[in-house]
Amino acid sequence: MIIILKQDISLHDKEYLRSFLEEKGFKVREIIGDHETIFGAVGNISIDFRQVEILSGVSRVIPISKPYKLASRELKKEDTIVNIGRVKFGGNRVAVIAGPCAVESKEQMFKAALAVRESGAVMLRGGAFKPRTSPYSFQGMGEEGLKILKDAGESVGLPVVSEIVGTQYVDMMKDYVDAYQIGARNMQNFELLKSVGKMGMPVVLKRGLSATIEEWLMAAEYLMAHGSDNIILCERGIRTFETYTRNTLDLSAIPVVKKLSHLPIIVDPSHATGLRAKVSPMALAAVAAGADGLVVEVHPDPDNALSDGPQSLYPEEFEKLMRDIQALSPVVGKEIERIPANRPINVRTTDEASGNIDKNISFQGVQGAYSEKAIHRYFGDEVNAIAKPEFRDVFESVLQGTVSFGVIPVENSLAGTINENIDLLLRYPDIAVVGEYKLRIIHNLIGLPGSSLQDIKKIYSHPQGLAQCAEFIENHEGMEGIPFYDTAGAVEHLSKLNDPTCAAIAGEEAARVYGMNIIKESIETNPRNYTKFFIITRKDRAEYETPNRAAFVFSTSDKPGALFSCLKVLADNGINMNKLESRPIHGKPWQYMFFLSVDIPEGSKAFENALNALKNISEDLRVLGKYKVD
Ligand code: PEP
Ligand code: MN
């Protein structure tokens, strides 16, 4: 049963309730949500709910109708985020696990690890115990294989997962893996589920060859009832009458599981299809259907693999697949998960003068702003996003060292450059750009809880938010857009107005932060709406190692062909330009600075050469930052 606690429940009443339930034989889980705290009480005990409902501090008691309780969405409305090392599964992420079917040798595993890491996988796989159909097939390297897997993962900074095939290996494996995998053939090995559950470690739970979704969720329930909360469900195809593919990939399981359970669900297109050529299409289909991630078999030499070679991708194919996933994810409101170490690249995160400030990152706006979302997408959920009223305050906080980074929007794909921030970069020579991040902007119509589309007359938002949703507003007679200084600020304003005929346009975070309701999702005219953010830090804290992008400014003399000859230098050195913008120079009417962003070619001195040549023919050349983009 689910016990919803009153918001003002005292600590004493809470503890009394917990011990009351435990004495009756229930297992109790406390779940703290955004808006309420609940106790989930499970156990094979029948009790009159009214006995609980009358206890002090209890708001309501709701029975859970499904046979699986801890795994059910009824118990927990928010998505579970599974943390494995620095990597997260669930929420709006697409996290990709990759590696060979089996660990075969140190050389093979290290090569595989490097390749999948470079393409953007966040976790390494490799089987050491292989449950093969034939007893004569390669059975895996056992503990020796696990050692290699762990070393390979450490060599590239990836957590690792490997399949456990029997209860006798539970203890031994815990020292080698970051997550256990329970394979399709063992999904209903209840003794194994109990033993692995007791470890409390993350588990990737594959769907059984012929398991129904309910049986699969019951297997997750076993793990959870014995102590494991961090479970990732993995759809890997089921047995049907079709024989062309190894199994039949049940992609409809993704939305079904998402409705029934709060656990993340990933897809294994390799075992599902058994055919290399079918892996990438089904991987993309899985992402499009809302999967929280993938597990893909990748082998450095598939033609000589000891197991599952025909379904293993070549590293180049995997690299291409990852690029496609990166392009596709924003379409379904997701972002590809990256290893956080990739992010504040080459930047020292402690500041001698002001102590350890690495977790503080500033942005302009109020809580729930798109910039705040960009901070968490780029740096992870653990950092503190510090709101500042003006863009200038973001620069000042970075300069003064009260934060380690600032995140500022510099360009929107529909509305163009945010000139104020380019000008601030010019005005603050001690600030450097050390990264960039592109966020898909999804505008939602947000109203008071209970108000519906027909009620809305006034819509508050930043002028850009209103402009980007103009078609929606025009198509709804009687609606009027009212400019506000900020999108998330408009939602805060809405919550104070408390008028059911008013609404705001902003991101979903803002709705959550201010307890408002999304009336209609994604109302922007053009869904290809992205904002590019720069990550800025103090110049003396930035270190540049292997950057692949640079932002710089220069001005030119006032004579024919001056800008042309500067750009020619870039062309002659094979440097690709991704942005060119002219900005007026303050105090010098009708004179301009040029702001550029370019790609730095790998493994050559082309960029340095171009910069040296530019210094000779331009004026006031200044590099604003060199950094790495994924
Ligand atoms: C595997 O992932 O190596 C494997 C054997 O998968 P499944 O249990 O899905 O067949
Ligand atoms: Mn395999």
Side-chain angles (χ1 to χ4, degrees):
M1 70 185 127
I2 299 165
I3 301 146
I4 300 174
L5 308 184
K6 287 189 176 148
Q7 276 185 346
D8 58 357
I9 186 172
S10 69
L11 213 55
H12 173 268
D13 286 346
K14 207 170 175 182
E15 282 325 302
Y16 179 78
L17 174 63
R18 189 194 299 274
S19 47
F20 174 87
L21 292 164
E22 282 173 353
E23 268 165 32
K24 297 263 183 242
F26 286 104
K27 281 196 168 129
V28 180
R29 297 282 167 99
E30 181 174 351
I31 299 164
I32 302 172
D34 282 346
H35 300 299
E36 57 193 16
T37 298
I38 63 173
F39 272 4
V42 294
N44 190 14
I45 306 124
S46 66
I47 177 177
D48 184 342
F49 289 164
R50 284 170 302 184
Q51 276 182 273
V52 182
E53 219 150 29
I54 54 163
L55 295 179
S56 171
V58 172
S59 167
R60 259 174 323 139
V61 178
I62 309 170
I64 303 177
S65 60
K66 301 283 188 310
Y68 42 88
K69 313 283 180 195
L70 295 169
S72 87
R73 187 66 92 176
E74 287 174 61
L75 179 72
K76 186 165 177 258
K77 297 213 169 30
E78 292 99 31
D79 291 343
T80 284
I81 308 291
V82 171
N83 289 286
I84 305 182
R86 292 171 301 159
V87 176
K88 290 185 163 59
F89 287 80
N92 292 326
R93 304 168 178 79
V94 177
V96 180
I97 306 173
C101 178
V103 181
E104 298 167 8
S105 69
K106 195 168 171 190
E107 195 201 347
Q108 168 247 16
M109 210 52 230
F110 274 64
K111 267 194 191 158
L114 195 62
V116 302
R117 167 77 160 93
E118 280 191 345
S119 300
V122 289
M123 192 158 179
L124 183 66
R125 64 153 286 151
F129 298 94
K130 295 307 304 173
R132 306 300 296 278
T133 305
S134 161
Y136 309 116
S137 303
F138 174 60
Q139 301 287 305
M141 289 178 76
E143 188 168 353
E144 180 58 24
L146 291 172
K147 276 189 197 146
I148 294 176
L149 175 69
K150 182 176 157 69
D151 289 348
E154 275 172 6
S155 75
V156 293
L158 293 185
V160 301
V161 56
S162 196
E163 179 169 352
I164 178 157
V165 292
T167 50
Q168 70 274 33
Y169 301 119
V170 172
D171 258 341
M172 179 276 283
M173 280 184 73
K174 77 171 191 307
D175 298 326
Y176 296 113
V177 299
D178 299 285
Y180 294 98
Q181 177 174 313
I182 298 205
R185 289 153 197 84
N186 271 314
M187 189 206 84
Q188 280 188 318
N189 180 340
F190 298 113
E191 288 313 308
L192 184 63
L193 293 170
K194 286 186 208 166
S195 311
V196 170
K198 278 187 199 134
M199 304 304 287
M201 279 172 57
V203 183
V204 174
L205 177 64
K206 294 239 178 152
R207 180 177 181 180
L209 266 63
S210 55
T212 63
I213 290 175
E214 185 162 304
E215 285 164 342
W216 185 19
L217 292 174
M218 288 307 288
E221 189 75 12
Y222 257 93
L223 289 166
M224 297 184 87
H226 287 85
S228 175
D229 285 328
N230 290 315
I231 295 156
I232 300 167
L233 298 164
C234 179
E235 165 62 49
R236 44 79 71 204
I238 47 175
R239 183 69 59 88
T240 68
F241 53 82
E242 181 54 65
T243 53
Y244 190 94
T245 48
R246 184 168 170 179
N247 292 288
T248 298
L249 180 55
D250 179 12
L251 285 180
S252 60
I254 302 166
V256 172
V257 162
K258 287 217 163 281
K259 182 166 191 300
L260 298 177
S261 176
H262 51 85
L263 296 172
I265 172 170
I266 63 171
V267 168
D268 173 349
S270 309
H271 292 92
T273 62
L275 301 164
R276 181 179 305 129
K278 315 294 172 221
V279 169
S280 293
M282 295 323 284
L284 293 170
V287 173
D292 297 303
L294 298 165
V295 47
V296 182
E297 284 188 344
V298 181
H299 195 290
D301 181 12
D303 301 325
N304 291 304
L306 297 183
S307 65
D308 285 348
Q311 71 191 32
S312 300
L313 295 188
Y314 288 92
E316 318 73 88
E317 290 174 311
F318 180 63
E319 153 99 70
K320 160 91 169 59
L321 172 62
M322 290 301 286
R323 275 191 271 120
D324 290 346
I325 294 170
Q326 181 161 15
L328 173 63
S329 300
V331 177
V332 286
K334 296 211 174 207
E335 298 282 334
I336 199 157
E337 171 76 346
R338 300 275 179 205
I339 290 280
N342 262 353
R343 288 162 183 166
I345 305 134
N346 306 329
V347 173
R348 279 180 257 123
T349 49
T350 49
D351 187 277
E352 270 105 64
S354 47
N356 190 343
I357 50 155
D358 54 348
K359 285 194 175 229
N360 291 349
I361 294 149
S362 59
F363 69 99
Q364 183 275 331
V366 297
Q367 249 200 311
Y370 291 111
S371 301
E372 186 185 22
K373 183 171 178 183
I375 287 183
H376 291 300
R377 286 286 169 82
Y378 188 86
F379 290 96
D381 287 337
E382 298 77 18
V383 298
N384 308 320
I386 316 271
K388 297 283 172 192
E390 306 285 341
F391 287 128
R392 201 160 50 82
D393 303 321
V394 175
F395 280 76
E396 282 296 327
S397 61
V398 172
L399 196 63
Q400 284 158 18
T402 54
V403 299
S404 52
F405 300 97
V407 170
I408 50 163
V410 286
E411 186 172 359
N412 176 268
S413 58
L414 301 179
T417 303
I418 293 123
N419 287 323
E420 186 180 346
N421 281 329
I422 304 293
D423 290 348
L424 283 164
L425 281 168
L426 297 176
R427 233 183 300 150
Y428 282 83
D430 294 328
I431 300 279
V433 180
V434 287
E436 68 176 49
Y437 185 72
K438 277 196 219 90
L439 181 76
R440 171 157 174 224
I441 303 295
I442 301 177
H443 289 310
N444 306 291
L445 184 71
I446 298 169
L448 291 173
S451 71
S452 61
L453 193 58
Q454 297 80 271
D455 305 326
I456 304 305
K457 301 271 177 289
K458 290 184 184 159
I459 306 177
Y460 294 88
S461 193
H462 187 278
Q464 292 230 343
L466 294 173
Q468 289 169 14
C469 302
E471 214 164 86
F472 176 86
I473 300 174
E474 276 160 26
N475 289 343
H476 288 84
E477 220 178 296
M479 278 188 188
E480 176 200 5
I482 301 174
F484 206 77
Y485 70 93
D486 178 294
T487 51
V491 182
E492 188 185 21
H493 181 64
L494 173 73
S495 69
K496 289 185 184 144
L497 281 178
N498 205 19
D499 178 348
T501 66
C502 293
I505 293 175
E508 58 172 344
E509 284 73 15
R512 209 175 42 238
V513 168
Y514 301 104
M516 297 288 105
N517 196 28
I518 295 186
I519 299 175
K520 193 150 175 51
E521 243 180 288
S522 195
I523 59 166
E524 63 276 7
T525 309
N526 186 339
R528 300 178 79 89
N529 183 359
Y530 296 87
T531 294
K532 189 197 274 184
F533 294 84
F534 271 172
I535 319 300
I536 56 172
T537 194
R538 217 170 55 199
K539 214 168 216 163
D540 60 351
R541 308 178 70 235
E543 286 168 12
Y544 315 121
E545 269 162 37
T546 45
N548 56 12
R549 185 155 290 178
F552 58 96
V553 287
F554 60 76
S555 58
T556 60
S557 52
D558 187 15
K559 62 177 191 216
L563 176 62
F564 169 76
S565 33
C566 291
L567 299 185
K568 186 167 181 303
V569 166
L570 298 179
D572 290 347
N573 282 283
I575 293 190
N576 182 42
M577 193 165 62
N578 19 64
K579 186 173 172 68
L580 171 64
E581 184 92 25
S582 69
R583 296 295 307 144
I585 302 177
H586 289 225
K588 294 186 184 169
W590 321 122
Q591 290 192 37
Y592 298 90
M593 292 290 281
F594 297 98
F595 168 82
L596 285 90
S597 153
V598 301
D599 292 333
I600 302 178
E602 208 184 309
S604 81
K605 290 245 165 279
F607 180 68
E608 275 69 36
N609 295 343
L611 222 52
N612 284 334
L614 268 180
K615 269 183 200 148
N616 295 330
I617 56 169
S618 68
E619 291 164 17
D620 302 323
L621 179 112
R622 201 168 91 216
V623 175
L624 301 174
K626 288 191 278 181
Y627 53 91
K628 188 155 181 173
V629 287
D630 291 327

